[in-house]
Amino acid sequence: MDGYSLITGAQGIYRLDYPDSNGDWKLTRLVDRETSDIASADLNDNGKPEYLAIEGFHGPYIRIYDCNFNTIFKSGSDSPFGHAIWGGRIGSKQYFIFGFRSERQNLELIGFEDGKPKFNLIESNVGPSNVLVYGKEGVQYLLSANREANQVAIYKILNTD
């Protein structure tokens, strides 16, 4: 996201464009639904970002938007206390990682297959609060603060495609 940031809050999702030689700061409302967190990744490999948003104050919904903030997917109200969110490249593809701290407390990988999101369970009953994918010496790792399981987990990513 060169030149801008996305900001979320009770009033929705905003795009904050940074000042340049042609103008000042610019704030534009993109979505008017309460949103606590957002991440971007090019899930469908079209060169434009998709966005994963946690709606409400940490849920109970997740929504995936296209680059123009049209809804691609909206969950049922089964994402209680959505908290861990990340988007980016794993291997040769881009994905989202999402986790929620209540009820099932799943950590999930979200990709794109046949034109729609595909959810894959990484681990259940861990209640992640934060996640990050990290690469070192050609190997990628998923780091997860599994708060409800009282652990910091490091998952070595073996098969990336």
Side-chain angles (χ1 to χ4, degrees), residues 3 8 11-12 15 20 23 28-29 41 56 61 84 96 98 105 107-108 115 120 137 139 141 146-147 157:
T8 61
Q11 294 78 26
R15 176 181 165 142
D20 61 18
T28 307
R29 180 191 257 177
Y61 302 99
F96 291 122
F98 172 74
Q105 302 177 1
L107 179 61
E108 300 176 349
N120 293 291
E137 298 175 0
V139 179
Y141 301 89
N146 293 337
R147 184 184 185 281
I157 299 171

Side-chain angles (χ1 to χ4, degrees), residues 21 23 62 89 91 105 113 122 124 144:
S21 60
I62 60 170
R89 183 165 303 284
Q105 302 177 1
E113 191 173 291
I122 296 171
S124 61
S144 183

Side-chain angles (χ1 to χ4, degrees), residues 82-135:
H83 212 281
I85 187 170
W86 176 87
R89 183 165 303 284
I90 298 175
S92 64
K93 297 181 182 178
Q94 294 201 23
Y95 297 91
F96 291 122
I97 297 175
F98 172 74
F100 42 97
R101 288 180 42 198
S102 187
E103 297 189 24
R104 292 176 289 160
Q105 302 177 1
N106 287 354
L107 179 61
E108 300 176 349
L109 177 76
I110 306 170
F112 218 65
E113 191 173 291
D114 299 323
K116 57 186 175 184
K118 181 179 179 187
F119 293 75
N120 293 291
L121 179 66
I122 296 171
E123 192 160 5
S124 61
N125 298 312
V126 293
S129 59
N130 288 290
V131 292
L132 172 73
V133 172
Y134 172 77

Side-chain angles (χ1 to χ4, degrees), residues 42-102:
D42 183 5
L43 289 188
N44 60 8
D45 200 29
N46 68 353
K48 299 176 184 175
E50 282 72 46
Y51 301 97
L52 174 65
I54 300 173
E55 285 191 0
F57 180 73
H58 292 293
Y61 302 99
I62 60 170
R63 187 181 299 257
I64 299 176
Y65 296 101
D66 68 12
C67 63
N68 296 310
F69 285 88
N70 299 307
T71 299
I72 295 172
F73 170 84
K74 180 185 178 204
S75 72
S77 60
D78 59 354
S79 298
F81 209 17
H83 212 281
I85 187 170
W86 176 87
R89 183 165 303 284
I90 298 175
S92 64
K93 297 181 182 178
Q94 294 201 23
Y95 297 91
F96 291 122
I97 297 175
F98 172 74
F100 42 97
R101 288 180 42 198
S102 187

Side-chain angles (χ1 to χ4, degrees), residues 8-28:
T8 61
Q11 294 78 26
I13 301 171
Y14 292 83
R15 176 181 165 142
L16 177 64
D17 288 282
Y18 310 142
D20 61 18
S21 60
N22 297 321
D24 205 353
W25 297 92
K26 181 181 175 189
L27 187 64
T28 307

